[in-house]
Each structure stands twice: as structure tokens, then as C-alpha cells.
Amino acid sequence: MTLIIEEEVLAQFDFDYKEIADKVINATLDFLEFPYEAEVSLTITDENGIQSINKEFREIDAPTDVLSFPMISYEYPGVFDFIDEFDELFNPETGEVMLGDIVLCYPKILAQAKDFGHSVLREYAFLIAHSMLHLLGFDHMTEEEAQVMFEKQDIILNILDIKRD
């Protein structure tokens, strides 16, 4: 698995955030039995940076905590048997499936951890797990979809023993 990290701000976490991102991404891929090697891009930015991206791509002129940009359109979430049919989904240099981009807002991670009463580590890991599920076809547009997605997030974080404080 290749993880490409771009830091637009100085993120001063009290844990190895690159290692945690790698663990959460791999745990998600393993849990969903993703059958390929994968490439994921992770950008850490500030409120202005994520607001600009949110406005450009979603026409929402406000900061948010995380944005997900999947490279694959899924007919069914977590069903990967069609991927072999599309050469353009594979990085020609590495042979890895390019899943997409995750953009995290560093100040939002800190604020939400405080607001929700859990660790910054838990909030960071939660947002990555959430975004990875989006990159793998899951969504939360309906109550049923949300329930499935949130259950999977909890399982992934429990696998990693990352719990609410």
C-alpha cells in the first residue's frame, strides 16, 4: 500500500500520524477484503484550505472536517470484482489501485476531539476510517446507509483498539 501524505500545515500531533494513517487504511482494506494493493493520498490542511476545496468541488463555502474524493464509482459498496476491467484505475508504475484522496482539516480534528470528549488520536483515526469507507463505495445519504457505514467504522477502530476515552 502506498500512502502519499501532503502537509499544507504543520500538524503537531502527539502520536505518529503517518503510522496511524497507514494502520487505519490497511485495517480498512483488510476488513473489507480489498483484493488489490492500493494507493491513497492524504492531505492535511487548515480551515481556509479545506473551505476552498469544499467550495470548488461541492459548492459549499464553509470549512469541514474531512473530504473524500474516490477515484472509483461503485455500483455496490464494498464490491470490488469489476475493478480488473478498468486499467485506468491502476497506477501504471506500481500496479496499485488508485483509491482516491482524503483531505483532513487539522484545526477541526483538534476541536472535534475536544467537543466529543475523546482523544485527538481517536478523532484522526475515525475521520480516516470514515473517508476510506467513502473511497471504497460506502456513503451515508440514507439512514440505512449511515448505519452500515458507522458500524463498519466502529469495527475498524475496535480492530485497532482505538476507542473513545
Side-chain angles (χ1 to χ4, degrees):
M1 195 272 301
T2 299
L3 173 59
I4 302 162
I5 298 180
E6 183 177 336
E7 302 165 62
E8 294 181 351
V9 297
L10 178 61
Q12 296 183 308
F13 295 109
D14 61 356
F15 52 87
D16 185 338
Y17 66 95
K18 294 176 183 179
E19 179 182 334
I20 295 299
D22 188 79
K23 285 182 177 182
V24 173
I25 292 166
N26 277 305
T28 305
L29 295 171
D30 291 346
F31 174 66
L32 293 175
E33 299 179 357
F34 188 73
Y36 306 95
E37 289 298 312
E39 175 182 304
V40 175
S41 173
L42 172 67
T43 300
I44 301 173
T45 191
D46 60 14
E47 288 174 326
N48 290 333
I50 207 160
Q51 181 171 346
S52 175
I53 296 167
N54 205 15
K55 183 177 180 183
E56 179 179 350
F57 290 98
R58 296 178 63 222
E59 297 180 1
I60 298 173
D61 192 12
T64 188
D65 52 0
V66 62
L67 292 170
S68 309
F69 297 99
M71 294 288 290
I72 302 171
S73 294
Y74 296 86
E75 187 170 347
Y76 303 102
V79 176
F80 312 115
D81 57 359
F82 68 94
I83 291 176
D84 275 335
E85 300 171 23
F86 298 95
D87 289 342
E88 65 272 14
L89 299 177
F90 293 85
N91 182 323
E93 294 177 16
T94 65
E96 295 173 319
V97 174
M98 298 176 290
L99 290 179
D101 303 316
I102 299 170
V103 182
L104 296 173
C105 180
Y106 176 68
K108 289 278 191 187
I109 294 168
L110 301 179
Q112 288 179 179
K114 184 177 179 180
D115 291 346
F116 295 133
H118 55 240
S119 69
V120 172
L121 168 65
R122 201 279 180 186
E123 184 66 17
Y124 176 78
F126 170 83
L127 292 174
I128 293 172
H130 180 88
S131 194
M132 279 300 297
L133 289 170
H134 280 306
L135 297 187
L136 296 166
F138 292 87
D139 212 337
H140 45 84
M141 298 303 287
T142 68
E143 191 172 316
E144 183 179 277
E145 288 176 340
Q147 183 177 356
V148 168
M149 190 168 173
F150 296 140
E151 285 176 5
K152 291 185 182 314
Q153 289 167 179
D154 288 342
I155 291 168
I156 293 162
L157 294 176
N158 285 334
I159 288 168
L160 295 167
D161 199 32
I162 299 175
K163 305 198 185 308
R164 293 179 188 259
D165 295 340

